[in-house]
């Protein structure tokens, strides 16, 4: 018999700004602290699908192997209540030893395991809630299944761990749901990282494992398997790998390149000549060709910072579309493994001497400047950026821990790990013998198991998990002449819709997968903290300007639009929806 759970409507609350945060991972944790520090809320309610607030999926102990390292040091991580390293040195030594960071707890440039960052975030969430001057409550094990933006606030429908269904209304909702199980429908039986790597490690019937992607996520997946099927040993100052049983892993990458090892850089990064935030903003007009104007500033900045390197790479003749190929050419010519060895030796020397080639620092800073204006690029320029310049920016800021490269080199020398370049035209399909068949112009082969470690992928709005809000967002995008299939492109305060969309101005969208298309550098703790700050500051400014009320003019303008009526009588603006929306939205 089907069990029917009651729908419980929460009692009305006293007037004031009640704010809900959906998701208590890194973004939700930074948001909680930013809201309490700004003093913009009367009450804060947090909804988290797991059983603990703070780590989210990215830093969960259940989904991350203990040996999986983060690719950001404490010096770069914005503090919540405590800076990461300040918190780390206060931990019991036995806990630090279990994490393998007893000697590096106070080292701001050390890379800690991801589970350590998860423990820090869990403690920071608890501290932020404890120190808040307003009530903070957290519903863990809560499944939020719908969000409705209303003229006077927002409604959240959610299911508790016991199956009971609740409805509650808030003045504002911040969607910080992070990375959920968003995968293409045709993904078949390809496993994701985390638990998938552990499963592959235990399954000794899979001697040849394919790993899609060669970034840190792919490296972590291979290392997790290696730890279960053998051991790393230090022999005369050299790391070697000793397998217990025969096995091998093949990293399947479009470009066939390993990420470079972390290099020393000054913090904060110096400003660039020519490519300043002001100059970048002035060059963007919201039309095709903005990317070329930005690249011209970028090229001038590189030339000024390192003229010798600029000449060697042929920068004077480069364009926004071919610069990435020039950038990666020397690495391809050398070969992935040879370059990894040489690069590791280089960056060790740079760390020792506190120096790095100027062009690397310039590119690292340039990606921050580009990040501020990318949401304003035209669709055509955005496609060009993803194909070209995005790759060189990602390559620089996604440099990985030295230990990760050392381990991969040891695996390669042991004959266990290899890397192949698939190119852009490849096919992966289940084989007739339960394995996987991989075909490309560069490499064709078979693997017994396949792990998808390509990292976070941009998601279109048809995967947005809250159906009513998804409908509202798609309608708003169509009304603005935007392509809703591309994901979200919110304003600086992380809200979508025109000024007349009063309801959508009360929903701040910090759901990372849906921002990646238009904000490709939105990943990471720095961006989580920046989004939280932007939301808190925008709420504070709005309250200062209007006291949080909706003007009669705004309400009349909203009601004048074509709308649908909900069962509770609320009107939802569905401008310019037409037959296209009805046909295209699942």
């Amino acid at each position: 018999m089907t069990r029917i759970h009651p729908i419980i409507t929460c009692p009305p609350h006293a007037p004031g700004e009640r704010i809900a945060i959906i998701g208590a991972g890194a973004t939700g944790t930074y948001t909680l602290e930013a809201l309490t520090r700004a003093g913009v809320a009367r009450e804060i309610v947090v909804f988290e699908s797991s059983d603990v607030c703070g780590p989210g999926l990215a830093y969960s102990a259940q989904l991350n192997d203990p040996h999986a390292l983060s690719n950001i040091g404490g010096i770069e991580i914005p503090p919540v209540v405590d800076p990461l390293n300040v918190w780390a040195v206060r931990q019991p030594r036995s806990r630090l030893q279990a994490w393998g960071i007893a000697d590096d707890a106070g080292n701001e440039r050390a890379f800690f395991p991801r589970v350590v960052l998860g423990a820090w975030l869990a403690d920071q969430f608890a501290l932020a809630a404890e120190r808040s001057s307003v009530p903070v409550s957290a519903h863990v094990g809560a499944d939020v299944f719908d969000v409705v933006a209303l003229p006077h606030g927002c409604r959240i429908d959610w299911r508790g761990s016991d199956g009971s269904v609740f409805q509650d209304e808030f003045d504002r909702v911040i969607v910080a749901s992070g990375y959920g199980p968003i995968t293409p429908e045709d993904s078949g039986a390809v496993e994701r990282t985390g638990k998938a790597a552990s499963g592959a490690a235990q399954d000794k019937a899979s001697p040849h494992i394919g790993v899609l992607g060669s970034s840190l996520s792919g490296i972590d997946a291979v290392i997790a398997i290696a730890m279960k099927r053998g051991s790393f040993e230090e022999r005369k100052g050299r790391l070697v790998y000793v397998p217990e049983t025969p096995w091998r892993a093949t990293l399947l990458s479009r470009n066939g390149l390993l990420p470079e090892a972390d290099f020393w850089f000054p913090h904060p990064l110096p400003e660039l000549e020519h490519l300043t935030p002001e100059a970048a903003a002035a060059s963007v007009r919201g039309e095709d060709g903005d990317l070329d104007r930005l690249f011209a500033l970028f090229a001038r900045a590189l030339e000024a910072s390192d003229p010798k390197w600029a000449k060697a790479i042929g920068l004077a003749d480069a364009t926004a579309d071919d610069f990435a190929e020039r950038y990666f050419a020397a690495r391809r010519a050398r070969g992935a493994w040879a370059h990894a060895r040489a690069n590791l030796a280089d960056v060790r020397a740079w760390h020792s001497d506190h120096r790095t080639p100027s062009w690397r620092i310039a590119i690292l800073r340039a990606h921050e400047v580009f990040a501020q204006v990318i949401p304003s690029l035209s669709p055509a320029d955005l496609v060009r950026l993803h194909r070209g310049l995005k790759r060189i920016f990602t390559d620089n800021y996604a440099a990985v821990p030295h230990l990760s490269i050392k381990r991969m080199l040891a695996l390669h020398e042991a004959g266990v790990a290899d890397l192949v370049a698939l190119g852009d035209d490849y096919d992966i399909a289940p084989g007739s013998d339960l394995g996987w068949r991989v075909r490309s112009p560069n490499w064709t082969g078979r693997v017994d198991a396949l792990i998808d470690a390509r990292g976070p992928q941009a998601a279109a709005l048809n995967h947005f998990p809250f159906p009513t809000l998804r409908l509202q967002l798609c309608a708003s995008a169509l009304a603005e002449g935007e392509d809703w299939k591309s994901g979200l492109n919110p304003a600086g305060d992380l809200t979508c819709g025109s000024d007349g969309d009063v309801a959508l101005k009360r929903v701040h969208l910090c759901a990372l997968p849906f921002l990646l298309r238009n904000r490709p550098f939105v990943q990471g703790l720095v961006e989580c903290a920046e989004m939280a700050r932007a939301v808190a500051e925008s709420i504070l400014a709005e309250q200062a300007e209007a006291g949080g009320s909706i003007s009669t003019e705004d309400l009349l303008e909203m009601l004048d639009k074509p709308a649908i009526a909900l069962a509770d009588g609320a009107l939802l603006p569905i401008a310019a929806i037409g037959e296209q929306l009805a046909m295209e939205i699942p």
Side-chain angles (χ1 to χ4, degrees):
M1 177 181 294
T2 302
R3 181 182 178 187
I4 301 176
H5 298 288
I7 296 179
I8 302 172
T9 302
C10 297
H13 299 269
E17 186 91 351
R18 297 186 73 231
I19 300 179
I21 303 173
I22 301 176
T27 305
T29 299
Y30 277 110
T31 300
L32 172 63
E33 192 276 335
L35 294 178
T36 57
R37 179 162 36 87
V40 296
R42 185 186 190 98
E43 179 188 1
I44 301 172
V45 180
V46 182
F47 298 88
E48 168 57 31
S49 59
S50 73
D51 59 357
V52 61
C53 294
L57 290 177
Y59 303 103
S60 165
Q62 286 73 38
L63 296 179
N64 286 282
D65 187 271
H67 303 285
L69 300 175
S70 64
N71 67 342
I72 184 172
I75 193 173
E76 296 180 78
I77 299 176
V80 183
V81 177
D82 299 319
L84 173 64
N85 293 98
V86 171
W87 169 86
V89 297
R90 291 205 307 260
Q91 303 308 303
R93 185 165 180 81
S94 59
R95 196 180 194 195
L96 298 176
Q97 289 174 331
W99 285 329
I101 63 169
D103 297 329
D104 288 319
N107 182 356
E108 290 184 330
R109 291 183 181 267
F111 292 97
F112 292 165
R114 299 180 73 84
V115 294
V116 175
L117 271 62
W120 170 68
L121 285 166
D123 282 359
Q124 298 305 291
F125 184 96
L127 280 172
E130 178 185 333
R131 298 186 183 189
S132 171
S133 60
V134 300
V136 175
S137 57
H139 298 291
V140 296
D143 172 27
V144 175
F145 58 86
D146 204 6
V147 177
V148 182
L150 304 170
H152 58 277
C154 305
R155 193 188 77 204
I156 290 180
D157 298 347
W158 59 286
R159 185 178 294 104
S161 57
D162 64 349
S164 298
V165 175
F166 301 83
Q167 292 180 349
D168 201 356
E169 291 193 8
F170 299 87
D171 297 288
R172 195 177 304 272
V173 169
I174 301 165
V175 181
S177 48
Y179 293 103
I182 301 170
T183 55
E185 290 83 351
D186 59 352
S187 60
V190 179
E191 295 183 279
R192 306 295 291 183
T193 49
K195 291 289 187 183
S198 298
Q202 302 291 348
D203 182 11
K204 302 300 175 65
S206 299
H208 188 190
I209 300 166
V211 178
L212 287 173
S214 59
S215 66
L216 185 58
S217 297
I219 290 173
D220 284 343
V222 174
I223 291 173
I225 298 167
M227 293 287 190
K228 297 290 180 62
R229 296 192 177 192
S231 60
F232 290 97
E233 299 176 5
E234 286 282 351
R235 294 182 181 176
K236 298 181 179 179
R238 182 165 163 264
L239 188 68
V240 299
Y241 179 72
V242 181
E244 294 178 356
T245 57
W247 72 280
R248 61 192 175 110
T250 300
L251 291 164
L252 306 169
S253 163
R254 275 194 173 92
N255 298 310
L257 298 174
L258 287 170
E260 295 196 308
D262 172 66
F263 52 86
W264 182 89
F265 57 89
H267 190 271
L269 293 167
E271 296 298 324
L272 297 175
E273 290 186 57
H274 309 296
L275 184 62
T276 63
E278 296 76 17
S283 70
V284 174
R285 305 166 189 169
E287 61 188 28
D288 290 353
D290 284 345
L291 184 63
D292 300 303
R293 285 183 283 274
L294 285 169
F295 180 76
L297 294 174
F298 178 47
R300 291 178 65 190
L302 288 174
E303 169 68 32
S305 65
D306 200 328
K308 184 177 179 180
W309 180 82
K311 182 178 180 180
I313 204 172
L315 184 59
D317 300 320
T319 68
D321 300 304
D322 71 8
F323 179 73
E325 295 306 315
R326 295 171 184 263
Y327 173 87
F328 288 113
R331 197 188 307 186
R332 285 200 180 98
R334 179 184 271 179
W337 299 103
H339 181 80
R341 292 187 191 92
N343 173 252
L344 184 58
D346 286 342
V347 298
R348 284 176 171 174
W350 299 342
H351 272 277
S352 177
D353 299 338
H354 288 186
R355 63 176 176 85
T356 292
S358 299
W359 62 268
R360 289 182 179 270
I361 304 301
I363 292 177
L364 200 60
R365 174 62 182 133
H367 112 263
E368 296 180 350
V369 179
F370 265 70
Q372 298 176 29
V373 296
I374 286 174
S376 299
L377 292 180
S378 70
D381 276 359
L382 186 62
V383 169
R384 292 171 60 204
L385 177 114
H386 276 273
R387 288 175 178 168
L389 289 175
K390 174 192 167 184
R391 293 160 53 204
I392 65 107
F393 289 137
T394 303
D395 185 66
N396 266 258
Y397 77 70
V400 303
H402 296 185
L403 180 58
S404 297
I405 297 297
K406 286 179 63 178
R407 286 169 170 168
M408 289 305 298
L409 287 170
L411 290 171
H412 181 65
E413 290 167 0
V416 169
D418 204 357
L419 171 67
V420 298
L422 296 179
D424 293 323
D425 184 19
Y426 64 89
D427 176 70
I428 299 177
S432 58
D433 54 355
L434 302 181
W436 291 84
R437 186 190 68 251
V438 182
R439 291 178 178 175
S440 78
N442 302 324
W443 186 84
T444 296
R446 177 197 171 280
V447 294
D448 299 300
L450 190 62
I451 297 172
D452 188 346
R454 288 172 294 182
Q457 303 293 308
L461 272 178
N462 59 319
H463 288 291
F464 198 72
F466 313 121
T468 304
L469 182 57
R470 179 177 68 218
L471 182 68
Q472 293 176 277
L473 290 169
C474 292
S476 178
L478 289 175
E480 295 296 311
E482 298 175 355
D483 182 4
W484 59 268
K485 296 179 182 178
S486 297
L488 300 170
N489 192 15
D493 61 357
L494 282 304
T495 61
C496 286
S498 63
D499 292 337
D501 283 325
V502 180
L504 289 179
K505 289 295 182 182
R506 293 181 170 273
V507 181
H508 300 266
L509 297 152
C510 304
L512 300 183
F514 302 96
L515 301 175
L516 273 175
R517 176 65 181 169
N518 296 289
R519 300 177 183 224
F521 308 132
V522 78
Q523 307 173 61
L525 295 175
V526 175
E527 287 290 340
C528 291
E530 178 60 26
M531 286 193 296
R533 182 198 61 79
V535 169
E537 288 183 356
S538 71
I539 298 172
L540 186 62
E542 180 185 327
Q543 291 177 348
E545 180 180 354
S549 62
I550 303 175
S551 70
T552 303
E553 292 79 6
D554 284 341
L555 186 56
L556 288 175
E557 182 179 354
M558 180 177 182
L559 295 177
D560 190 47
K561 297 179 179 180
I564 60 173
L566 298 179
D568 60 4
L571 295 175
L572 301 181
I574 309 296
I577 186 170
E579 294 183 357
Q580 176 186 0
L581 189 61
M583 294 175 60
E584 292 184 326
I585 299 179

